[in-house]
Amino acid sequence: MTGQQELAGRVALVAGATRGAGRAMAVELGRAGALVYVTGRTTRERVSEVGRSTETIEQTAELVTGAGGTGIAVPTDHLEPAQVKALTERIDREQGRLDVLVNSVWGGDRLIEFDTRLWDIDLEKGLRMFRLGVDTHIITSHYALPLLIRRPGGLVVEVTDGTAAFNRTYRDNLCFDLTKNAPHRIAFGLAAELKEHGGTAVSLTPGFLRSEEMLDHFGVTEETWRDAVAQEPHFAIAESPALIARGVRALAADPAKERWSGRSLSSGQLAKEYDFTDTDGSRPDCFAYFEEVVFGGKDAAADAYR
């Protein structure tokens, strides 16, 4: 990226910024000069159902400020309309504007039962996934969009798992499959509704994300992540959260971003379009790798797609 604070004066809300892609996107928007409200349920005083006390929204806000922006942490359960309403009223009261809304709320990985038929799943877990991955996004947009449409040029980013094309392949759990396809339709619908206001809505997915939780799962760190390839060969295509974060920054700063409205995008696609790389200088294209090598049978190494 340029290093310039091209988003100075802009106000962003990253809903679900406690860790992973959400945290990275908040920090990158701050690095570009934005004032960023960061929300989530895990604070220094309280831990959410995800159960990861080591990552908090206060830490994220401090990272945003340390990167050159202004980070403001607001504890929010995005399943509670009253809390989201209070959040957006606070943003209106303090800033009077909202330029970027990133719907990155999730926290449902622990609920997924892969390769389990609908009639065999834990129904409570399946329905909870819907609540965490769909209801939260609808509730947040309902309250935030009246503020965002006050000025043309607003951006809504619906964060999901898998592009619309990739998700034509069944995701091995019906509730998960539906939950991660819904953001594509949300962005498609919002694009139509925001058009008259000069707004843009997209769905955006990372590739194989090296989140804190994924690194812990494999027992590696960001510095030693390649050690996990022995356990999971496809991890060779993994990307850091910085890649999708740089994509959001590029979208937010693009005066012609409306050309993307309603579309399903990936971090790798945006890296090519806007000419940025991951932190190691590579440009991983996870979905091309999966389409051609994993599903298509092409004889090629992951490094050929970096």
Side-chain angles (χ1 to χ4, degrees):
M1 307 302 287
T2 64
Q4 300 175 350
Q5 291 204 316
E6 66 270 29
L7 298 180
R10 309 276 187 90
V11 177
L13 165 59
V14 180
T18 313
R19 60 185 65 83
R23 170 176 281 189
M25 289 184 283
V27 173
E28 192 64 28
L29 290 169
R31 186 170 287 111
L35 184 151
V36 188
Y37 285 85
V38 299
T39 67
R41 295 173 296 167
T42 296
T43 69
R44 289 185 173 130
E45 289 75 40
R46 185 172 182 177
V47 181
S48 77
E49 66 193 74
V50 176
R52 295 182 62 87
S53 61
T54 54
E55 300 118 14
T56 69
I57 58 169
E58 293 94 344
Q59 290 172 345
T60 300
E62 290 165 0
L63 290 169
V64 171
T65 301
T70 301
I72 301 174
V74 184
T76 307
D77 183 340
H78 286 263
L79 281 174
E80 296 294 334
Q83 291 187 32
V84 180
K85 183 174 185 288
L87 165 67
T88 55
E89 288 175 346
R90 174 177 172 177
I91 297 172
D92 189 7
R93 185 171 62 252
E94 294 178 353
Q95 313 303 331
R97 65 185 295 164
L98 181 64
D99 303 285
V100 179
L101 169 62
V102 179
N103 274 322
S104 189
V105 181
W106 172 226
D109 286 339
R110 64 187 179 82
L111 303 171
I112 307 170
E113 300 171 289
F114 283 124
D115 300 314
T116 305
R117 300 295 180 258
L118 177 62
W119 51 91
D120 290 326
I121 67 166
D122 183 320
L123 183 59
E124 184 177 347
K125 288 181 178 180
L127 295 177
R128 184 65 178 171
M129 272 195 280
F130 285 132
R131 295 280 286 149
L132 290 171
V134 180
D135 290 13
T136 55
H137 291 221
I138 295 294
I139 291 168
T140 303
S141 290
H142 172 78
Y143 287 106
L145 291 182
L147 185 53
L148 183 134
I149 63 174
R150 286 184 186 172
R151 292 174 174 80
L155 172 66
V156 178
V157 179
E158 282 287 318
V159 181
T160 190
D161 185 315
T163 63
F166 181 81
N167 284 350
R168 293 193 187 106
T169 299
Y170 185 48
R171 301 300 303 273
D172 296 321
N173 176 292
L174 185 61
C175 292
F176 178 69
D177 185 286
L178 292 172
T179 298
K180 291 308 178 181
N181 273 291
H184 298 308
R185 291 302 299 180
I186 294 173
F188 180 77
L190 287 181
E193 296 188 3
L194 291 173
K195 186 175 182 179
E196 65 181 293
H197 302 283
T200 297
V202 301
S203 59
L204 177 62
T205 179
F208 201 153
L209 187 68
R210 297 198 303 270
S211 65
E212 301 93 339
E213 194 167 1
M214 187 59 69
L215 292 171
D216 288 349
H217 172 75
F218 286 121
V220 294
T221 66
E222 180 58 24
E223 291 70 34
T224 65
W225 71 268
R226 284 190 175 274
D227 292 347
V229 175
Q231 303 176 56
E232 171 49 77
H234 300 320
F235 201 55
I237 198 63
E239 64 195 53
S240 83
L243 195 69
I244 189 172
R246 291 170 177 177
V248 169
R249 174 178 176 172
L251 280 172
D254 185 354
K257 58 181 167 287
E258 281 186 76
R259 72 188 189 276
W260 298 111
S261 201
R263 293 178 58 182
S264 161
L265 307 173
S266 71
S267 52
Q269 177 184 4
L270 293 181
K272 291 179 181 177
E273 174 71 21
Y274 291 105
D275 193 25
F276 60 83
T277 65
D278 204 344
T279 52
D280 62 359
S282 71
R283 188 175 287 150
D285 189 347
C286 173
F287 294 102
Y289 168 76
F290 270 85
E291 179 182 353
E292 297 177 12
V293 178
V294 180
F295 300 142
K298 181 179 178 180
D299 184 15
D303 282 349
Y305 292 83
R306 296 194 72 88

